[in-house]
Amino acid sequence: MRIVDLINKKSISLSLKAKDKQDAIEQLVDLVNNSGNLNDRLEYKEAIIARENQSTTGIGEGIAIPHAKTKSVKNACLAAAVCKKGVDYESFDGSLSHLFFMIAAPEGANNTHLEVLSRLSTILMDEEFRTKLINAQNEDEFLNLIDYKEKEKFPEQEKEEVLDKNKSSNYPNVLAVTACPTGIAHTFMAAESLNKQAEKMGVSIKVETNGSSGAKNILTKEEIENATAIIVAADKKVDMARFNGKKVIITKVANGIHKSEELITKAVNGDAPLYNHGEGADSSEEVENETTFRKVYKHLMNGVSNMLPFVVSGGILIALAFLLDDYSINPETFGSNTPIAAFLKSIGGVSFGFMLPVLAGYIAYSIADRPALVVGFVGGALASTGESGFLGALLAGFLAGYLVLGLKKAFSVLPDSLDGIKPILLYPLFGTLLIGIIMTFVVIPPVAALNMGITNLLNGLGTSSKLVLGLVLGGMMAIDMGGPINKAAYVFGVASLQSGQYEIMAAVMAGGMVPPLAIALATTFFKNRFTKEEQESGKVNYVMGLSFITEGAIPFAAADPLKVIPACVLGSATAGALSMMFNATLRAPHGGIFVVPVVGNPIAYLGAIIAGSLVGMIVLALLKKPIEK
């Protein structure tokens, strides 16, 4: 790392006027702070003083090089100053100090500060060079003198840097993969955040997005081989085998959005463990010490993300069948009375029927890889035919995954010659038999009874109870906007479709549409509360909200959570409660404004969404103060 690469012109003073050592430190810390690389100026200053208390960094010959390595530093940097009059810096040789270089190194930066200190000490031993620095007329001349001297003193290192640069210039330094359960918003927001932060830090990066339409910008074998480290910010299963033997940081997708700088700094410094991909293993627990809840959530979201396309397509087709049918022909077969309705309902029913097997299958796949897929599918299908519904399929997925993991251990004692038949015969055969026995005799009877009880309870809820349920579900959709709480409410809404509770899905979608719409309205009608950039971003939230993409509100919530989140929760809760009060129903699990024609009581439903959005807008406007120009 070259010295001039660490010095910002804003961190150079060629006319330092300091009364004493303490004053010099104060002014030098300010110069370091000018670079924008300090998280906490006071903490960094205290680290500098603590280092000086050990022994002075006035190295003699009119030079002082104070330095500190602390977490208050974002990126390694350097400040430089010239004091022609001289300052008593308690140097070893008793001389006044005229040249100052203050080094700031982040806590995880290995020995960057020692390397810079060594280089500076070497080039500053030349008296003629020191004199030229002291008499430099401007910052450009000062930097050019250092650059020329460094190249002169370290020619071999200069050649190595050029060779390394040429060798690696074709490949990004850092790679990343982003993925969220729905593959709509968080995936691309994390990618955008990582790309922007890397550009700001001067780091070359390539980000692969595992979105709803498949993986884009896929990482190549050569890029992986040449990368310093790989960031995997994902809430669902991604292809990890290709990273075997590389340094990998595995974290949740939200950290890709909110902690991009920290992740990129770790990746650049190689501050990550080597990833060892075992059979069916994710190894994320070794990388990030995941909690049990986090592991369960990832497995569940892998099932949900693969299930959603079946649910959405099938649900909307079924909803269209009811919209196009004639109730008066035969109320008992409403949805199939006309040929077009019967056609749409039959196709939608087939698609919707895959919901539970796919959910269970991909939960199992997330836990134990491909051998568990068939076991999970069978378990989910049994849950569907056995009336244990969504909850039964959830249990089937987890049971199937851990059953196959157990079978892998049990069959590990068999000869290696049988390895070829394990995944195509032994695991599926014994796994399917065991999941069939467990589901039929252990899981389905109590869960089916529980489902019946829940359905009867929901059917028996009065208006006030439904209003509270809508209030809670709507509010949950806005608390973490795509996170676990939001997903819990949404999954509950999807599960309710199977049991015929269409009011719940309507309340959930109404609550999810409000946060982006409330923010869009606030940025339109209360412009003085937002910056120009926020006002422009707010316009996009009209589209996001109308499309039921709650995540559009995340950038605003991240920037000002104490004001944005409460406002959105109140607005969403209002929409959810009103939707329930108006008895609005929705048979489609997604679609936003585009499926309103298939909503039961659509005018009142739109009124609930508008009312919730206005409440969110007004509360946000009250909480946020006008920005001073």
Side-chain angles (χ1 to χ4, degrees):
M1 184 175 287
R2 295 163 65 233
I3 295 169
V4 290
D5 293 335
L6 300 174
I7 306 178
N8 188 308
K9 285 185 182 181
K10 294 179 182 178
S11 299
I12 300 174
S13 173
L14 301 180
S15 56
L16 186 75
K17 292 179 176 62
K19 297 175 291 184
D20 50 29
K21 180 176 181 176
Q22 191 63 35
D23 190 23
I25 288 175
E26 195 76 38
Q27 293 186 51
L28 287 164
V29 169
D30 282 338
L31 288 173
V32 173
N33 197 37
N34 288 345
S35 69
N37 285 308
L38 294 185
N39 291 313
D40 189 325
R41 180 193 177 281
L42 182 59
E43 185 177 336
Y44 174 70
K45 177 187 165 185
E46 288 173 353
I48 288 288
I49 292 172
R51 172 62 186 84
E52 291 297 325
N53 290 337
Q54 295 175 15
S55 63
T56 182
T57 55
I59 63 175
E61 303 295 334
I63 306 162
I65 312 179
H67 51 273
K69 182 179 181 182
T70 166
K71 64 181 181 181
S72 62
V73 179
K74 298 179 189 175
N75 303 302
C77 63
L78 201 61
V82 173
C83 181
K84 294 183 180 178
K85 185 179 177 182
V87 179
D88 182 5
Y89 205 85
E90 302 172 3
S91 299
F92 286 116
D93 61 0
S95 65
L96 295 178
S97 296
H98 298 276
L99 274 173
F100 298 87
F101 291 90
M102 181 172 275
I103 304 170
E107 202 165 49
N110 301 324
N111 295 317
T112 301
H113 67 303
L114 297 179
E115 181 184 345
V116 174
L117 186 60
S118 172
R119 286 196 167 207
L120 277 171
S121 301
T122 301
I123 64 176
L124 290 171
M125 287 302 100
D126 186 327
E127 184 178 357
E128 183 181 352
F129 172 65
R130 295 199 303 271
T131 302
K132 288 180 179 179
L133 286 177
I134 292 170
N135 294 315
Q137 298 300 305
N138 52 55
E139 290 82 3
D140 287 329
E141 182 182 349
F142 188 87
L143 290 171
N144 287 335
L145 285 166
I146 294 174
D147 190 34
Y148 180 82
K149 191 67 176 177
E150 190 177 16
K151 289 177 180 177
E152 178 186 319
K153 282 290 182 182
F154 304 97
E156 292 304 316
Q157 290 186 17
E158 183 69 22
K159 289 177 183 176
E160 288 173 8
E161 286 180 11
V162 171
L163 288 172
D164 289 342
K165 186 176 180 182
N166 290 337
K167 181 180 177 181
S168 61
S169 60
N170 294 326
Y171 302 105
N173 189 22
V174 175
L175 300 178
V177 179
T178 61
C180 67
T182 56
I184 297 174
H186 281 74
T187 298
F188 301 101
M189 292 169 71
E192 180 70 7
S193 179
L194 288 166
N195 277 318
K196 280 188 174 180
Q197 188 60 46
E199 183 180 359
K200 184 178 175 182
M201 295 169 65
V203 175
S204 59
I205 192 171
K206 179 179 178 181
V207 185
E208 174 184 304
T209 54
N210 278 235
S212 56
S213 58
K216 304 289 184 184
N217 206 29
I218 296 173
L219 308 179
T220 67
K221 181 180 178 181
E222 292 77 15
E223 288 167 342
I224 294 169
E225 288 176 354
N226 287 278
T228 302
I230 297 122
I231 300 166
V232 178
D235 281 348
K236 68 173 186 176
K237 192 178 183 70
V238 297
D239 178 14
M240 296 294 294
R242 52 190 166 153
F243 304 139
N244 190 43
K246 296 294 296 183
K247 289 188 174 183
V248 180
I249 301 167
I250 299 180
T251 187
K252 53 190 177 184
V253 71
N255 286 343
I257 300 171
H258 305 302
K259 297 183 179 180
S260 54
E261 183 179 348
E262 179 185 327
L263 293 173
I264 292 171
T265 300
K266 283 185 176 181
V268 169
N269 294 329
D271 185 14
L274 290 174
Y275 177 75
N276 179 26
H277 187 81
E279 184 186 6
D282 189 346
S283 292
S284 55
E285 52 270 77
E286 286 110 359
V287 181
E288 204 184 59
N289 296 318
E290 289 184 309
T291 63
T292 301
F293 171 79
R294 167 85 180 138
K295 295 174 194 173
V296 170
Y297 176 72
K298 280 182 70 175
H299 298 322
L300 173 60
M301 287 302 105
N302 193 63
V304 169
S305 65
N306 284 284
M307 171 196 78
L308 277 179
F310 293 93
V311 178
V312 172
S313 59
I316 291 176
L317 286 172
I318 291 172
L320 286 172
F322 284 97
L323 177 68
L324 299 174
D325 202 13
D326 186 346
Y327 181 81
S328 63
I329 295 175
N330 185 353
E332 292 183 2
T333 57
F334 181 50
S336 304
N337 288 330
T338 63
I340 183 65
F343 177 71
L344 291 173
K345 191 178 180 186
S346 64
I347 297 174
V350 170
S351 177
F352 206 76
F354 280 102
M355 178 177 82
L356 299 186
V358 169
L359 172 69
Y362 279 95
I363 289 174
Y365 172 68
S366 179
I367 296 169
D369 222 331
R370 194 172 299 277
L373 195 59
V374 64
V375 184
F377 268 114
V378 172
L382 289 170
S384 180
T385 57
E387 302 297 325
S388 62
F390 194 87
L391 183 56
L394 279 181
L395 293 173
F398 284 100
L399 285 170
Y402 290 110
L403 268 176
V404 173
L405 285 182
L407 290 172
K408 287 180 178 181
K409 289 183 180 179
F411 292 137
S412 63
V413 298
L414 295 177
D416 293 344
S417 58
L418 296 177
D419 282 353
I421 67 168
K422 288 179 184 178
I424 61 171
L425 175 62
L426 299 182
Y427 299 150
L429 174 61
F430 287 95
T432 301
L433 176 62
L434 289 172
I435 198 68
I437 293 170
I438 294 171
M439 290 299 294
T440 303
F441 298 106
V442 179
V443 174
I444 290 176
V447 174
L450 178 63
N451 279 341
M452 183 62 69
I454 293 172
T455 301
N456 291 335
L457 176 65
L458 291 171
N459 286 330
L461 285 177
T463 302
S464 60
S465 300
K466 284 186 176 181
L467 190 144
V468 172
L469 180 60
L471 190 101
V472 172
L473 290 172
M476 287 174 69
M477 291 298 290
I479 289 176
D480 54 359
M481 302 173 191
I485 297 173
N486 169 286
K487 287 293 186 293
Y490 180 71
V491 166
F492 183 63
V494 170
S496 71
L497 293 177
Q498 265 225 323
S499 58
Q501 298 295 331
Y502 306 121
E503 298 98 332
I504 293 174
M505 191 67 241
V508 165
M509 192 165 82
M513 291 172 69
V514 163
L517 290 174
I519 288 169
L521 289 168
T523 57
T524 300
F525 295 104
F526 295 91
K527 293 181 184 292
N528 62 344
R529 267 80 166 170
F530 301 92
T531 64
K532 282 288 184 184
E533 184 179 353
E534 286 173 333
Q535 290 172 33
E536 291 301 313
S537 299
K539 295 174 184 176
V540 180
N541 273 302
Y542 281 114
V543 178
M544 301 281 267
L546 292 173
S547 302
F548 184 35
I549 301 176
T550 317
E551 291 90 339
I554 287 177
F556 291 85
D560 197 358
L562 295 180
K563 296 181 179 68
V564 174
I565 292 176
C568 289
V569 169
L570 286 171
S572 293
T574 301
L578 290 174
S579 174
M580 279 287 199
M581 190 175 76
F582 296 146
N583 291 318
T585 58
L586 177 63
R587 298 171 184 268
H590 214 291
I593 195 72
F594 305 105
V595 294
V596 166
V598 303
V599 169
N601 203 359
I603 302 301
Y605 185 64
L606 285 173
I609 294 169
I610 292 168
S613 301
L614 290 173
V615 168
M617 175 195 73
I618 292 167
V619 174
L620 184 57
L622 291 172
L623 292 176
K624 285 182 77 71
K625 294 179 180 179
I627 297 173
E628 293 183 9
K629 293 185 179 180

